[in-house]
Amino acid sequence: MKKAAVIPSYKAEKTLRGVIETLPPELLESGGAIIINDASPDRTGAVADALAREFPNVHVCHHEKNRGYGGALKTGLRYGIDHGFDILSVVHADGQYAPRLALELCKPIEYGDTEIVQGSRMKGGGAREGGMPLTRYLPNRILTSMENIVFGTRMAEFHSGYMIYSRKLLKQVPFEKIQDNYNFDAEMIILAHLCGIRCAEVPIPTRYDDEVSSLNPIPYGLNVLKMMWKFTTGHYRQLIDEHDANSKF
């Protein structure tokens, strides 16, 4: 299976090279990396272009306007589909999630167990060991409990951004119709769940320091509550039904 890492990038001029250099060498040699410069105001775009010149299988997409985390992912995932990749691993440009695991996390899809994988900080205790602040840890636990009740799932967490998607899933669900913010990952889990596909959870280490994560927890939490409300009103089921209907023509 042909694999690539999708790397949404914003204000990542200091970390992007380290992420590329930490990816498994076999991924860069036999697959590739897709960097999306989300109209970053710093030198992220220039660093990405330099990496593309240095590594033949690094590809760069530039946004003229900032589209947000989810918007950047949509561009990268669409690029991956259009260029024949079978599995796409979402790797963050800030290095918070270990790039070296990008291939390891693909295995449940390669083995035919699922079409979607999450690298989970909660499964193996990586969040607290990695220094996740209680101000993030406790809301994560509370929101995940609420989400599991509303969605009918049993996830250890909904809020890790280390996600792996198969080409099959991306063609099956309307990923370009969901949000452009950080809720993109959770909404993908919801769409897969509604299609009868369980998200496999693989424990991962993680790290927190002064430089990582630009996520603002308050609006993020409010968006999660909005997402739960949208689920109860049938919004995601409607998206899937419309996608299925359009796919028949």
Side-chain angles (χ1 to χ4, degrees), residues 65-215:
K65 295 182 179 180
N66 182 268
R67 290 182 51 192
Y69 169 77
L73 277 184
K74 291 174 186 179
T75 296
L77 296 173
R78 172 52 59 190
Y79 184 99
I81 292 172
D82 292 344
H83 288 78
F85 289 98
D86 300 300
I87 303 178
L88 295 165
S89 177
V90 178
V91 177
H92 286 202
D94 58 15
Q96 180 179 337
Y97 302 111
R100 60 184 172 79
L101 297 178
L103 282 181
E104 183 69 21
L105 294 177
C106 295
K107 288 183 178 179
I109 295 176
E110 290 184 282
Y111 295 158
D113 296 332
T114 186
E115 305 296 337
I116 179 173
V117 179
Q118 180 199 71
S120 175
R121 302 164 296 181
M122 301 299 170
K123 258 306 200 192
R128 294 301 293 144
E129 292 176 3
M132 177 187 274
L134 280 176
T135 53
R136 290 186 182 272
Y137 180 81
L138 292 178
N140 184 304
R141 309 312 305 133
I142 294 169
L143 289 173
T144 294
S145 296
M146 294 170 64
E147 288 165 299
N148 279 327
I149 292 171
V150 172
F151 304 144
T153 51
R154 294 183 178 180
M155 298 289 295
E157 73 162 317
F158 269 87
H159 309 291
S160 168
Y162 211 157
M163 301 296 300
I164 319 295
Y165 304 116
S166 72
R167 177 186 180 87
K168 179 180 177 181
L169 176 71
L170 293 170
K171 294 179 74 68
Q172 185 175 352
V173 303
F175 73 91
E176 289 171 305
K177 298 291 186 180
I178 58 178
Q179 297 185 70
D180 284 343
N181 57 31
Y182 281 102
N183 288 107
F184 181 93
D185 303 313
E187 288 191 310
M188 284 296 290
I189 295 173
I190 293 170
L191 292 177
H193 173 67
L194 288 174
C195 291
I197 302 170
R198 180 187 63 84
C199 180
E201 299 175 273
V202 179
I204 59 167
T206 188
R207 71 176 180 86
Y208 287 83
D209 57 33
D210 293 337
E211 295 184 1
V212 302
S213 185
S214 59
L215 183 149

